[in-house]
Amino acid sequence: MEWEPESVRAVLMDIDGVLTVSWKPLPGAVEALRRVRASGLRVALLTNTTSRTRASIADALTGAGFPVGAEDILTAPAATAAYLAEHCPGARCSLLNSGDIREDLAGVDLVDTGDTDDTGDTGTVPDVVVVGGAGPEFDYASLNRAFGHLQQGARLVAMHRNLYWRTDAGLQLDTGAFLTGLEQAAGAEAEITGKPAPAFFEAALARLHVEAGAALMVGDDIESDVLAAQRAGITGVLVRTGKYLPETHRDASGEPDHVLDSFADLPALLGLAPHRTDH
């Protein structure tokens, strides 16, 4: 069946690599989002970013000119807090993450596991090891400590398993590169709470009060953003910015519904009129 742009009522989008790189706007992205919002379409920003809170992300985006607020943003940490409240109520959690995201982990009992001996044993085993975004904190001691907790029966919950992301310095390793090692070493399987988990997309749709068939997801990660959204019944749009690589596209497990050079091309795909401002 031919796709009909007028059937779209909501646009979901990734942030890093789609709207920005290292929090700097990509060419045409600000104007494109303004046109989307001016058309009356509902908007949600879905991000696996784990280095900033929703409020901090909103401040960075509005400072760059994007018409968004914290209420428009759904983060992997916020989704993780909801997941833990439902599936592990009252659990004591050890967090391994680069950046302070405690504000978005409201209600989560974060225990201090920083004082360890050479074996990584603190004497107190948390119920859950929560893995966020990778960074300098992912050193040997921290990873070995998490490994020790998993060996002693802790559950493994990860906000995502992205292998890399793009910064203004190029591609950088992300959580998935370390998470796979932890899973293999400890014989554990991570429970994923951010993209590509179906619940992450479902939460965004519920927030916007739209059905999957009336939504569109724009991302630079063909597997976690686009194909995962398509499996949830959402139209998927891949952009050739951010972490996009031709070989990753070629070797992907499926084909996007649409491919654009950048987010700046989205208004044309949706048939939106140019954004007008009164002077």
Side-chain angles (χ1 to χ4, degrees):
M1 184 172 62
E2 187 176 350
W3 182 69
E4 298 177 352
E6 59 271 20
S7 67
V8 176
R9 295 173 52 209
V11 176
L12 317 180
M13 68 199 75
D14 186 23
I15 299 174
D16 193 22
V18 174
L19 300 180
T20 66
V21 168
S22 294
W23 301 104
K24 298 175 183 176
L26 285 165
V30 170
E31 175 62 19
L33 185 53
R34 287 177 177 167
R35 289 174 64 183
V36 169
R37 298 220 82 151
S39 73
L41 291 171
R42 300 171 191 179
V43 168
L45 284 65
L46 280 63
T47 177
N48 278 346
T49 296
T50 53
S51 60
R52 293 173 178 251
T53 62
R54 293 168 64 234
S56 174
I57 292 170
D59 286 346
L61 292 176
T62 55
F66 289 102
V68 299
E71 68 279 2
D72 299 315
I73 301 168
L74 182 61
T75 66
T80 300
Y83 181 90
L84 292 170
E86 179 179 356
H87 297 278
C88 315
R92 300 169 66 258
C93 301
S94 172
L95 175 65
L96 175 57
N97 182 71
S98 184
D100 186 2
I101 54 172
R102 291 171 183 262
E103 181 181 321
D104 277 1
L105 292 173
V108 177
D109 182 12
L110 295 175
V111 297
D112 182 8
T113 57
D115 298 326
T116 66
D117 59 26
D118 291 339
T119 66
D121 183 15
T122 63
T124 303
V125 181
D127 302 303
V128 182
V129 171
V130 180
V131 181
E137 295 82 355
F138 279 54
D139 56 17
Y140 178 82
S142 297
L143 289 165
N144 194 50
R145 183 165 61 245
F147 173 55
H149 295 326
L150 296 174
Q151 284 183 297
Q152 296 177 73
R155 292 172 67 169
L156 179 58
V157 172
M159 297 183 192
H160 62 81
R161 56 168 70 253
N162 295 352
L163 292 171
Y164 51 82
W165 82 101
R166 183 173 293 281
T167 71
D168 51 13
L171 294 178
Q172 305 287 319
L173 278 179
D174 207 347
T175 301
F178 303 95
L179 184 62
T180 298
L182 280 176
E183 290 177 313
Q184 292 292 318
E189 183 176 351
E191 303 163 46
I192 307 299
T193 55
K195 294 176 294 184
F200 199 55
F201 296 101
E202 292 164 4
L205 295 173
R207 177 178 295 190
L208 298 179
H209 304 289
V210 297
E211 299 295 326
L216 177 150
M217 173 70 197
V218 186
D220 64 326
D221 187 317
I222 188 169
E223 296 288 351
S224 293
D225 292 339
V226 181
L227 299 182
Q230 290 177 195
R231 287 193 292 272
I234 301 167
T235 297
V237 178
L238 177 66
V239 289
R240 297 188 182 99
T241 54
K243 66 169 63 173
Y244 174 87
L245 294 171
E247 56 268 32
T248 304
H249 184 180
R250 182 188 64 239
D251 298 334
S253 61
E255 186 62 30
D257 292 314
H258 303 277
V259 181
L260 301 176
D261 284 336
S262 74
F263 188 81
D265 298 321
L266 183 65
L269 176 68
L270 294 173
L272 302 182
H275 178 53
R276 295 176 179 270
T277 55
D278 295 329
H279 297 283

